[in-house]
Amino acid sequence: MAAISNYTIIGTDDDFTAVYKPTTSTVYALNFWAAWAPPCEQMNDVFEELASKNSNIKFIKIEAEKFPDISEEYEIAAVPSFVFVKEGNVVDRVEGANPPELSKTVAKYSKSPASSATNGTTATATPSVAAAPTMSAEEMNARLKELTSSSSVMAFIKGTPTAPRCQFSRQLLEILTAQNIRFSSFNILADDEVRQAMKAFSDWPTFPQVYVKGEFVGGLDVVKELVATGEFQALVPAEKDLKTRMDELINKAPVMIFIKGSPETPRCGFSKKLVALLADQGVTYDSFDILEDDDIRQGLKTHVDWPTFPMVFFKGELLGGLDIVTEMVENGEFAQVVAEAKSPSA
């Protein structure tokens, strides 16, 4: 594709300040992406094609992890994320790999003078792209069962506990926190396949959604009512101390990894590399998303005296992080882990 005058790929902070002028009435579409996230590959192509057909919007492509200050300013919790800005204010967002929604939002802010002069309406050419599912129905059902059972209390929300993206998710988080209820969460804006599938899986059309011990409880209004009557607190199992929880997680499987995100959707480059390495080695393992539980995330660093993630455990003992596991693979030491992890007695 030839160079597009309204399309910029940010290489330095100066590039961003040079092209982004918040005092103007121009609409800017910001594409926050990461090389390690497969959904970004398709969405980058869609973003570039939209730029070629909508000259009244400035399209800016930003690698999220290389520009943390910009990502933090626009509250980027997952990639891909698309933020629409006008006169210095965020006017719209599209989260996840959702080409139709991105096209629709671009059309909303793109005005064609020629078509307006003809018939008074806005006509915007957008690519005809459909979001293709990456999982079969059976695989998705298994994924949702795993997610809903991954914590005693599991909240499916828009955004994250530190950056909720809707008032209902924010209210739910405030209720759970006020009741001192420990919970894990899943950002349904980060995975549109999960978002849509959860509606049918729970037979509940809106979010947030709450599960307790793998059973669907309801949305915000139901939780409010249950909390008011004391029924919700009775549903939640007695809390274990942090050390017990960490030890149970470490020993949950012969090979246990603590990563950012899930094996299907890793949320950092190091976690993605580790998952790929284990797949190449044919290792069966279980995982824990440390982004969903800050107590585990911080406590584990002290518990095993290891400062960073990912972490890999074998039969309850810390092997190390990505670099050490990579070195063990290269010198053949990891072969024992592979053999024992595959054996029926492991």
Side-chain angles (χ1 to χ4, degrees):
M1 184 179 290
I4 307 170
S5 60
N6 61 322
Y7 177 76
T8 303
I9 300 175
I10 298 302
T12 67
D13 289 324
D14 289 341
D15 289 343
F16 185 68
T17 55
V19 70
Y20 174 58
K21 307 297 182 185
T23 57
T24 69
S25 60
T26 301
V27 174
Y28 294 86
L30 312 181
N31 170 13
F32 291 89
W33 69 289
W36 50 263
C40 290
E41 190 172 338
Q42 177 199 19
M43 294 307 296
N44 286 345
D45 291 340
V46 173
F47 189 74
E48 186 171 354
E49 186 174 353
L50 287 167
S52 71
K53 299 179 183 299
N54 296 273
S55 59
N56 293 332
I57 295 178
K58 296 288 187 182
F59 291 77
I60 305 176
K61 182 180 175 185
I62 305 165
E63 192 165 359
E65 291 183 351
K66 286 188 177 180
F67 299 94
D69 291 342
I70 301 175
S71 297
E72 183 176 352
E73 179 181 354
Y74 290 99
E75 299 181 347
I76 302 304
V79 291
S81 286
F82 302 88
V83 180
F84 291 78
V85 184
K86 183 177 181 181
E87 297 176 350
N89 298 312
V90 174
V91 293
D92 235 320
R93 289 180 181 270
V94 175
E95 306 279 0
N98 192 341
E101 185 65 22
L102 181 60
S103 298
K104 177 182 175 182
T105 307
V106 167
K108 177 179 176 181
Y109 294 102
S110 181
K111 297 179 180 179
S112 171
S115 62
S116 297
T118 303
N119 55 24
T121 61
T122 300
T124 306
T126 57
S128 178
V129 185
T134 58
M135 291 186 183
S136 67
E138 293 77 11
E139 289 172 331
M140 178 55 75
N141 194 59
R143 169 73 171 139
L144 296 183
K145 285 183 178 179
E146 178 187 352
L147 280 172
T148 54
S149 303
S150 61
S151 177
S152 296
V153 179
M154 191 70 190
F156 292 82
I157 61 176
K158 293 182 178 180
T160 66
T162 55
R165 294 288 176 79
C166 77
Q167 61 173 326
F168 304 113
S169 295
R170 182 177 293 105
Q171 289 179 40
L172 175 67
L173 295 169
E174 290 172 352
I175 290 171
L176 296 178
T177 301
Q179 296 297 316
N180 293 316
I181 293 172
R182 188 179 299 279
F183 64 94
S184 295
S185 66
F186 183 88
N187 178 10
I188 53 94
L189 296 179
D191 191 324
D192 194 61
E193 275 193 85
V194 169
R195 179 181 184 178
Q196 301 304 328
M198 278 295 298
K199 296 177 183 178
F201 185 81
S202 306
D203 193 19
W204 195 265
T206 59
F207 293 94
Q209 296 180 10
V210 177
Y211 278 75
V212 175
K213 293 184 286 188
E215 297 294 328
F216 180 58
V217 172
L220 174 62
D221 289 341
V222 173
V223 172
K224 280 183 177 178
E225 183 177 343
L226 292 175
V227 167
T229 61
E231 294 176 73
F232 190 79
Q233 296 87 328
L235 291 173
V236 178
E239 188 62 55
K240 297 175 181 176
D241 64 78
L242 182 58
K243 182 180 184 302
T244 299
R245 293 175 60 224
M246 290 189 293
D247 286 336
E248 288 183 352
L249 282 170
I250 289 169
N251 290 281
K252 187 178 178 182
V255 178
M256 187 70 191
I257 66 173
F258 292 80
I259 59 176
K260 294 181 179 179
S262 67
E264 295 80 11
T265 55
R267 299 275 295 277
C268 79
F270 300 114
S271 295
K272 177 180 173 63
K273 288 178 182 178
L274 176 64
V275 168
L277 184 150
L278 295 178
D280 288 342
Q281 296 299 309
V283 177
T284 299
Y285 62 89
D286 206 337
S287 68
F288 183 84
D289 179 3
I290 53 95
L291 295 179
E292 300 296 345
D293 192 322
D294 198 58
D295 287 343
I296 294 293
R297 179 180 184 177
Q298 301 303 330
L300 205 56
K301 297 176 184 179
T302 303
H303 189 56
V304 298
D305 194 22
W306 192 266
T308 59
F309 293 94
M311 294 182 190
V312 180
F313 290 82
F314 179 54
K315 293 188 173 180
E317 297 294 328
L318 176 68
L319 292 181
L322 175 63
D323 291 344
I324 288 181
V325 173
T326 301
E327 184 178 339
M328 290 178 68
V329 169
E330 291 173 350
N331 63 27
E333 293 180 43
F334 202 67
Q336 179 187 357
V337 175
V338 175
E340 294 195 38
K342 287 182 176 180
S343 67
S345 60

